[in-house]
Amino acid sequence: MTEPEPAAGQPASPLAPPGIDTTVAHPARMLNYVLGGTANFPVDREAAERRLEVLPGWRTSAQQNRQFHARAIRLLAGTGITQFLDIGAGLPAADTVHGIAQAVNPACRVAYVDNDPLVLVHARTLPPSRPEGRVSYSQADLREPDRILADPGVRGTLDLSQPVALMLLAVLHFIPDADDPAGLVRTLLAALPAGSYLVASHPTQDFDLVRGEQATQAGNRAGVPVWLRTRAEFTGFFAGLGLLDPGVVLVSDWRPDPGQPRPDPRLVTCYGAVARQPC
Ligand SMILES: C[S@@+](CC[C@H](N)C(=O)[O-])C[C@H]1O[C@@H](n2cnc3c(N)ncnc32)[C@H](O)[C@@H]1O
């Protein structure tokens, strides 16, 4: 497959490996573009630019989400969690889960899962696991939790009899209510022992209904439909779990680092929370 030339001034893209459709925008590559990466194609950049037109805070939101994810990983790795199952992992640049976790404890193990085949290709460009730990990349869909739990990469990396941090960062909004996202989360957590954690984030329209609706429409037009959810709807994903302080808040308000600037909530528009699976 020949990759189209990038538009003038746009970053270069990776060569498109066989099996990767570069004619349809994909959320992982759109986000990669917004965060300054090069693992994206013209169709992704165009869809991302259209979304940025209606949602100018998207870049701020994506950056804040990544910072939330880093703070949560550091906290959990620091309290003894050594296993991370990151579903909807995306195409990170520097701040990989294993890079952050293994800086705290080199023995940490991370199983990355995403439904975009480019994620597996991109993984080859990422820093490797520390020798004491382990990292795997699997292509699978969140809507098939049993397949994820049985995936050889996941099983070869994680011991599911020991606590795991289930990471669902900015991915649940790609799952419509009709596919029962809360049920998918329950199925995944049911396979994990007490002391496991759920780390999740989710875009919302709570702070700007008009822009939220425009973003939803832009996603539909780009072929990447999204389902923004309210605080109450997002909180429902944590039913039966023990929420860590400060509970469900904007990602920028979740245990911010000292001195960290707090952007306007209308730019962040993404909730985050961390919760523990009780005994
Ligand atoms: C917005 S990105 C978030 C990436 C990363 N978790 C973060 O927070 O920066 C959403 C990711 O979820 C993946 N994704 C979307 N729908 C999915 C599904 N049904 N199953 C697995 N991954 C999915 C996309 O390919 C993309 O990599």
Side-chain angles (χ1 to χ4, degrees), residues 168-247:
L168 296 173
L169 279 294
V171 63
L172 287 163
H173 63 296
F174 297 110
I175 309 291
D177 289 347
D179 286 339
D180 188 16
L184 299 174
V185 174
R186 276 198 304 276
T187 302
L188 289 164
L189 287 172
L192 307 178
S196 293
Y197 285 86
L198 172 62
V199 181
S201 62
H202 200 301
T204 182
Q205 70 279 45
D206 281 358
F207 297 88
D208 194 332
L209 276 175
V210 174
R211 282 199 193 284
E213 181 55 30
Q214 288 171 340
T216 303
Q217 288 171 7
N220 289 339
R221 280 196 299 275
V224 186
V226 292
W227 286 266
L228 306 184
R229 294 192 169 94
T230 64
R231 184 176 185 280
E233 288 168 332
F234 177 59
T235 304
F237 292 122
F238 296 88
L241 306 178
L243 278 165
L244 271 53
D245 285 341

Side-chain angles (χ1 to χ4, degrees), residues 3-225:
E3 195 214 338
E5 285 297 311
Q10 298 286 9
S13 297
L15 286 176
I20 290 188
D21 187 351
T22 60
T23 65
V24 179
H26 198 282
R29 303 173 216 155
M30 289 168 63
L31 182 69
N32 175 272
Y33 169 70
V34 166
L35 289 173
T38 57
N40 47 71
F41 300 96
V43 69
D44 308 306
R45 299 193 277 270
E46 284 157 22
E49 286 295 346
R50 281 200 299 276
R51 191 159 196 257
L52 278 168
E53 278 169 23
V54 295
L55 209 60
W58 182 24
R59 185 167 279 117
T60 302
S61 175
Q63 289 166 343
Q64 291 294 325
N65 178 55
R66 291 306 289 183
Q67 291 173 20
F68 159 71
H69 133 288
R71 294 194 299 275
I73 294 165
R74 277 191 211 104
L75 174 82
L76 297 185
T79 54
I81 292 291
T82 58
Q83 305 195 100
F84 297 82
L85 173 56
D86 185 9
I87 304 177
L91 301 162
D95 58 343
T96 60
V97 176
H98 66 280
I100 299 165
Q102 291 180 348
V104 178
N105 178 353
C108 283
R109 296 169 169 228
V110 182
Y112 293 102
V113 175
D114 202 286
N115 69 352
D116 185 344
L118 192 61
V119 168
L120 278 75
V121 177
H122 178 71
R124 296 188 207 125
T125 68
L126 294 175
S129 170
R130 295 276 291 265
E132 303 92 327
R134 190 177 294 179
V135 169
S136 65
Y137 299 88
S138 303
Q139 186 187 343
D141 200 291
L142 175 55
R143 287 165 294 189
E144 296 182 301
D146 292 328
R147 276 191 59 188
I148 292 176
L149 294 165
D151 181 89
V154 173
R155 298 307 286 226
T157 305
L158 306 180
D159 173 357
L160 299 187
S161 71
Q162 297 300 312
V164 172
L166 171 62
M167 319 271 305
L168 296 173
L169 279 294
V171 63
L172 287 163
H173 63 296
F174 297 110
I175 309 291
D177 289 347
D179 286 339
D180 188 16
L184 299 174
V185 174
R186 276 198 304 276
T187 302
L188 289 164
L189 287 172
L192 307 178
S196 293
Y197 285 86
L198 172 62
V199 181
S201 62
H202 200 301
T204 182
Q205 70 279 45
D206 281 358
F207 297 88
D208 194 332
L209 276 175
V210 174
R211 282 199 193 284
E213 181 55 30
Q214 288 171 340
T216 303
Q217 288 171 7
N220 289 339
R221 280 196 299 275
V224 186

